[in-house]
Amino acid sequence: VNPKRKKRLVLASLIVAGVAVAVGFMLMALRENINLFFSPSQVAVGEAPTDHVFRLGGLVEAGSLTREDDGLTVHFVVTDTAEKIAVVYKGILPDLFREGQGIIALGKLDRSGVFRADEVLAKHDENYMPPEVADAIKTAQGDGQLKHPGTGI
Amino acid sequence: MRLPRIVHQFASPRYFYELSGKLVPWASGLLFALATAGLYIGLVLAPTHAEQGESYRIIYLHVPAASNSLMVYTVMAGAGLIFLVWRIKMADVIAAASAPIGASFTFIALITGSIWGKPTWGTWWQWDARLTSELILLFLYLGYMALRAAIEDPQNSARASAVLAIVGVVNIPIIHYSVEWWNTLHQGATITKLATPTIEKTMLTALLLMMGAFVLFYVSTVLVWARCKVLRNEVRSSWVRDLPPEGRNWLPMLLPVAVLAAAVFHGATTPREIVLTPSEVVNGAAAGTGNVILQGTVEAIEAQGPPSRFVLSDGQARVTVRFNGTLPRFFRTDWGARIRGSLREDGQVFDASTVAALNVRDHRRYVFTAYLLVMIVLGINLVSSRRCLRQARLAITRRIRREEVSS
């Protein structure tokens, strides 16, 4: 082995390893900032910055969606199957919003513990199925949406 | 550490130039063949996505571009390492030639993702870990190209940019695992889990064909860029002067022509399923035709079955549908439905044999914009790489002529 080449190879590997470790520490330190949203459980144990605006992520609980008479204001419950948070939102919902869907809401908790959202986004899973198949799979799984890893929650 | 023999063979600019000259036409021919097949299957044959509707067809551009943006960077960093350690000049040429293509793929991944995000997530952009790390990848590519351009001495320029490429490799696993390490808006991977059927077969076929096409696009374009750079670097070598005029090999272009002909034949001989709207049914398009497909928005659910009754509308006309079964799980008002069935003789009520819930929104402008943008970006790569090579050849011819005149 050419010693010069070996030295250069070791040097290059050391640089990459050093940078990887540094970036790794940085990402660990910034972990809370990199996470796009907090789950209802995280909010319950006080991990979320409840004194200002943050993002809440979870599934829209089945049967919890109600609309006010103005047609724009909606009430629903976001759950991660362990904890629940009631959400109020006035505005246009994304097309994929429905009960059982994973969503991310940006807003603030009010004094009564209700999350007042300014923006609601819909997540979608990594399954690519035509309508007939999707219906068949969902029916077979029953309440599969809640346990599905694809919702990210 | 020893490199495989082929690397050393490739390291000779002359050998590389001759071999790549034979490879490029075949890679291009195969690329267009795969792309034609992929686009026909993906845009014509593949079914609609239940939740996302037609907007999901952006996947055939987005996923290949995104996965190739990582692949190209890895190749670029690997070539950088080979250059730094073994001082093989060809490796630096390949790394430099990869950068604009990788940057284009990253840009395509970001822009098509943004166009896809609007109708599905409800936002063009979020500072989510996946999106942000992919944006950093674009900056790494641009930084690499800027660094190369900024240092005039070719040796220093090559060394400094190789170090940057190698250091930036740390971002690659971050992009890949971002959706697992952090809470993100972006969903997890579909393709790595082939064991479980998370994508329908026709969609998967089209996606794999398009991934192959993108890989071949990289291969053929990087070779053309590299050939151009080799000619520029080696202007003074005698083998460059003795190069025979290069004829064009059109034979590989028979591949895409054959695939196109097959697609046209298949399209012409396969009976197309006609999907009717409520307006067309009201105007009598379904009268006496037997089994038809009807698609519209659910306006009201009158009875939860069996038997079920609901009203389908398209904003102008309404059709009442009767279905002797339970409505599907995600069937709801203000959401789309596709039914198969026939119109009763009175012309008022539709009898459905199957009912499926799906997204029927019109996403054509999103899909069209995404495909148009990708054509433009890839087209610029294709044209500019070929022009670079043509001009390098012209420069050599001129040089020879000038020397002949002066002697």
Side-chain angles (χ1 to χ4, degrees):
Chain A
V1 179
N2 184 327
K4 235 180 170 177
R5 282 181 193 162
K6 195 178 172 188
K7 204 179 115 192
R8 291 198 289 245
L9 190 63
V10 169
L11 200 67
S13 328
L14 281 179
I15 293 176
V16 173
V19 173
V21 169
V23 170
F25 279 133
M26 214 168 72
L27 293 178
M28 294 252 269
L30 293 172
R31 195 174 173 80
E32 286 313 308
N33 297 315
I34 297 172
N35 278 329
L36 190 67
F37 57 84
F38 295 92
S39 67
S41 294
Q42 283 176 303
V43 176
V45 297
E47 280 181 36
T50 43
D51 48 337
H52 55 254
V53 172
F54 69 99
R55 285 193 189 81
L56 172 71
L59 301 172
V60 181
E61 193 173 54
S64 72
L65 180 66
T66 54
R67 266 171 211 278
E68 277 182 21
D69 291 338
D70 65 358
L72 272 182
T73 313
V74 287
H75 298 256
F76 55 90
V77 173
V78 164
T79 174
D80 56 2
T81 72
E83 295 286 338
K84 295 172 185 183
I85 290 178
V87 179
V88 187
Y89 172 66
K90 183 175 180 176
I92 296 163
L93 289 164
D95 283 349
L96 268 63
F97 183 94
R98 59 167 165 71
E99 292 178 351
Q101 180 76 32
I103 62 113
I104 295 171
L106 174 73
K108 210 179 155 179
L109 277 179
D110 68 8
R111 286 210 192 100
S112 56
V114 173
F115 190 81
R116 301 205 162 264
D118 302 317
E119 180 188 52
V120 174
L121 304 176
K123 274 174 75 75
H124 64 77
D125 60 27
E126 66 275 42
N127 302 327
Y128 291 88
M129 295 292 167
E132 292 78 6
V133 182
D135 285 338
I137 290 175
K138 303 261 161 67
T139 315
Q141 284 177 342
D143 223 0
Q145 268 283 316
L146 279 176
K147 284 157 236 144
H148 205 283
T151 51
I153 293 146
Chain B
M1 283 287 275
R2 259 170 191 270
L3 286 171
R5 222 171 88 89
I6 181 139
V7 177
H8 285 290
Q9 278 181 338
F10 240 63
S12 145
R14 183 178 181 179
Y15 181 81
F16 169 83
Y17 190 85
E18 280 165 8
L19 183 68
S20 59
K22 294 191 188 97
L23 275 174
V24 169
W26 287 102
S28 313
L30 200 56
L31 137 71
F32 285 115
L34 290 189
T36 310
L39 290 176
Y40 177 67
I41 296 174
L43 299 182
V44 181
L45 299 184
T48 316
H49 187 275
E51 282 290 303
Q52 302 179 27
E54 297 297 330
S55 69
Y56 98 92
R57 294 192 197 271
I58 295 175
I59 196 176
Y60 303 121
L61 304 173
H62 177 77
V63 170
S67 75
N68 273 290
S69 70
L70 303 188
M71 194 269 292
V72 172
Y73 195 91
T74 314
V75 170
M76 195 174 92
L81 183 73
I82 291 177
F83 173 75
L84 272 192
V85 177
W86 286 273
R87 293 285 140 90
I88 294 175
K89 217 168 164 216
M90 245 350 269
D92 177 58
V93 171
I94 293 288
S98 298
I101 311 168
S104 304
F105 283 166
T106 314
F107 176 75
I108 288 174
L110 287 166
I111 200 85
T112 55
S114 178
I115 295 172
W116 192 4
K118 187 61 184 171
T120 47
W121 298 335
T123 181
W124 300 104
W125 182 263
Q126 285 287 304
W127 292 101
D128 145 306
R130 172 57 73 80
L131 277 58
T132 310
S133 53
E134 183 77 10
L135 183 66
I136 292 172
L137 183 70
L138 179 64
F139 292 151
L140 276 171
Y141 275 120
L142 297 180
Y144 178 90
M145 285 167 13
L147 187 64
R148 284 200 82 93
I151 305 175
E152 258 177 54
D153 175 56
Q155 271 292 323
N156 288 340
S157 162
R159 265 185 231 172
S161 58
V163 170
L164 175 66
I166 291 169
V167 167
V169 115
V170 173
N171 191 29
I172 299 296
I174 295 178
I175 298 174
H176 185 80
Y177 290 109
S178 55
V179 289
E180 289 170 32
W181 291 346
W182 297 288
N183 290 338
T184 53
L185 177 60
H186 198 286
Q187 70 287 357
T190 302
I191 293 272
T192 51
K193 322 181 294 178
L194 284 174
T196 48
T198 63
I199 178 162
E200 189 265 348
K201 270 207 188 93
T202 329
M203 300 178 182
L204 180 65
T205 312
L207 188 54
L208 292 178
L209 285 168
M210 290 304 281
M211 288 181 119
F214 269 71
V215 171
L216 285 169
F217 181 88
Y218 167 66
V219 170
S220 73
T221 315
V222 82
L223 289 181
V224 174
W225 276 122
R227 300 184 88 214
C228 166
K229 285 174 199 291
V230 163
L231 283 192
R232 279 195 198 152
N233 293 345
E234 307 272 323
V235 204
R236 286 183 189 80
S237 317
S238 61
W239 69 269
V240 168
R241 300 159 162 269
D242 300 337
L243 275 178
E246 205 161 289
R248 282 223 157 177
N249 182 5
W250 288 106
L251 187 67
M253 280 300 147
L254 286 178
L255 287 170
V257 172
V259 172
L260 187 66
V264 169
F265 178 76
H266 183 269
T269 52
T270 313
R272 279 194 75 181
E273 284 192 327
I274 297 164
V275 180
L276 297 176
T277 63
S279 297
E280 287 168 329
V281 169
V282 167
N283 292 336
T289 49
N291 224 24
V292 290
I293 302 168
L294 171 65
Q295 195 169 295
T297 308
V298 182
E299 199 172 86
I301 302 174
E302 289 170 351
Q304 286 271 15
S308 313
R309 258 174 83 92
F310 55 90
V311 179
L312 271 190
S313 127
D314 61 355
Q316 283 140 23
R318 290 188 187 83
V319 175
T320 304
V321 181
R322 231 189 78 97
F323 176 52
N324 216 350
T326 320
L327 294 172
R329 195 175 135 78
F330 293 120
F331 193 87
R332 57 191 189 272
T333 50
D334 294 327
W335 188 248
R338 181 190 287 170
I339 62 167
R340 276 161 207 273
S342 53
L343 195 64
R344 285 191 190 172
E345 275 178 19
D346 60 8
Q348 297 300 315
V349 177
F350 220 86
D351 269 319
S353 54
T354 63
V355 174
L358 89 161
N359 187 338
V360 291
R361 283 242 200 245
D362 185 4
H363 291 136
R364 274 176 301 186
R365 62 202 161 112
Y366 295 107
V367 176
F368 180 76
T369 312
Y371 276 83
L372 184 70
L373 280 173
V374 171
M375 297 281 172
I376 293 173
V377 173
L378 295 186
I380 291 174
N381 270 280
L382 220 57
V383 170
S384 55
S385 60
R386 263 78 182 171
R387 199 175 55 193
C388 174
L389 184 57
R390 208 167 44 237
Q391 284 178 345
R393 275 208 216 102
L394 263 176
I396 289 165
T397 328
R398 262 191 239 116
R399 205 187 162 90
I400 295 173
R401 213 174 291 152
R402 225 182 305 133
E403 283 171 6
E404 278 168 358
V405 168
S406 61
S407 67

